[in-house]
Amino acid sequence: MPASSRPPSSEAERRLRQALRLAERGRFGVSPNPRVGAVVVRDGEVAASAWHRRAGEPHAEALALEEAGDRARGSTLYVTLEPCAHTGRTPPCVDAVLAAGVSRVVACHRDPDPRVGGRGFARLRAAGVEVTEGLLVEEACRLNIAFLVSTLEDRPAVTLKWAMSLDGKIATRRGESQWISSPAGRRWALELREEHDALLVGSGTVLADDPRLDRRLGKAPGPNLRVVVDRRLRVGPDAALFAAEGPLVLYTESPDAERAAPLRARGAEVVRLPRVDPASVTADLYGRGVRSLLVEGGAGVLGAFATARLFDEVAVDCAPRLIGGAGAPGPLGGEGTARLSEAVELEDVVVGRRGGDIVMRGVRRGCLRDLSASVAG
């Protein structure tokens, strides 16, 4: 029976779940790399464990094997992703695995990076290391949606985020929206900024709320890229976002060079596109190295991404208050769907609490299935 089709053992799943929990600790620091965790087991006992902490620093496998030392010889390495077989900012992990004398490697799935793409597993097998792959694939894909989507689809992974009242309003009929969510809910939203490469809003949000759009928690290294969709160049150079740290890009269809000049003078890059829509914007952002994009609003922008089906995750803060009113906006603008059968469904929805708010995070239905099919052995 091929290694990739072997039925999972309870021991293997238990160790891989441990590695997945470790990998999650790299949430804020590893982009554009994947989150990876590794556990070294010898004679039924954990000899070492580690996770990838920062892009450019040693990978999880190398850290765990270094910690294990001589105990790695004859061990089993449980790792959430295929060990790399290329030299980037760090040496190949396959070299470390072979040098340590590991007897068996158990991994969730193949690394779709074209520099790896099964070469890591092939080198290990050629050297006599037993390799088992294809366990907990969907769980591992859920952990690394940003890395997998950007690698396989050549676009940033997109998360749609909003805060709303219990009756589904993102502002009052007069446009008041600060603050619908609680302080704890707002911190949850700020953590989302820390794990995404870029943050995008529409010009209406800038004009209504005058946000800075920056990272503030210090969890991720460096500032995020801040993006404003401003088709008519309505944003002025005195907006608060020009005073915040970090690069700023405005996408517009306007040919008005006079309106663009003061924005460029304040440090913004004004990019004119023939059409400013989700596909064009994400394509340009991918070319700039953005691998994960958080879309925070407003309703028109969120609705455009939802209608285009150009998103992978949804993150929602639902506050325990009622706003009401037919004129108060909901989170998704545009025409929406005419039939329930056309509605986009979510799966793997995780629900929690932040202060008095309910926070939810889910994945577009079919996303994990498609990713899993692409990386399973």
Side-chain angles (χ1 to χ4, degrees), residues 23-272:
E24 177 61 27
R25 298 188 187 184
R27 174 185 176 191
F28 300 113
V30 302
S31 181
N33 293 351
R35 305 171 190 177
V36 180
V39 178
V40 179
V41 175
R42 179 175 172 180
D43 299 328
E45 296 184 355
V46 174
S49 62
W51 68 95
H52 185 34
R53 299 170 185 268
R54 284 278 190 270
E57 295 185 5
H59 293 179
E61 303 96 311
L63 289 170
L65 293 169
E66 181 181 10
E67 179 186 335
D70 291 340
R71 293 174 296 172
R73 190 159 299 279
S75 68
T76 297
L77 172 67
Y78 296 91
V79 62
T80 55
L81 184 69
E82 175 187 8
C84 64
H86 67 284
T87 300
R89 285 185 282 183
T90 59
C93 287
V94 167
D95 290 355
V97 173
L98 296 177
V102 171
S103 296
R104 183 184 179 214
V105 171
V106 180
C108 294
H109 61 74
R110 178 177 58 84
D111 184 344
D113 186 321
R115 297 171 297 179
V116 187
R119 294 182 181 87
F121 289 150
R123 279 196 59 197
L124 292 172
R125 289 183 173 118
V129 177
E130 180 184 354
V131 175
T132 301
E133 56 177 300
L135 311 183
L136 305 182
V137 178
E138 284 207 2
E139 290 91 330
C141 288
R142 178 70 181 86
L143 178 77
N144 274 315
I145 280 184
F147 170 74
L148 295 173
V149 167
S150 61
T151 302
L152 291 166
E153 301 186 21
D154 294 334
R155 66 166 177 85
V158 176
T159 301
L160 307 183
K161 176 266 170 184
W162 64 84
M164 67 181 185
S165 63
L166 191 59
D167 58 334
K169 306 296 185 180
I170 62 170
T172 68
R173 58 185 173 84
R174 292 184 176 180
E176 294 180 13
S177 61
Q178 298 181 331
W179 294 102
I180 288 177
S181 54
S182 68
R186 293 197 292 277
R187 182 176 178 86
W188 175 77
L190 289 174
E191 288 180 352
L192 292 174
R193 291 186 182 182
E194 300 277 334
E195 73 173 80
H196 289 79
D197 296 339
L199 166 67
L200 181 147
V201 300
S203 57
T205 296
V206 176
L207 296 174
D209 298 338
D210 199 23
R212 302 203 313 264
L213 306 180
D214 57 347
R215 288 174 173 165
R216 302 170 203 173
L217 303 182
K219 294 179 178 292
N224 57 327
L225 174 65
R226 296 165 302 141
V227 182
V228 179
V229 172
D230 190 4
R231 292 181 178 85
R232 293 174 287 165
L233 283 184
R234 299 191 299 160
V235 172
D238 295 329
L241 54 87
F242 289 97
E245 181 185 7
L248 173 64
V249 176
L250 278 75
Y251 289 103
T252 187
E253 296 172 3
S254 172
D256 193 337
E258 290 187 5
R259 293 187 65 85
L263 306 179
R264 291 190 172 107
R266 292 297 308 273
E269 182 177 356
V270 181
V271 179
R272 186 184 174 197

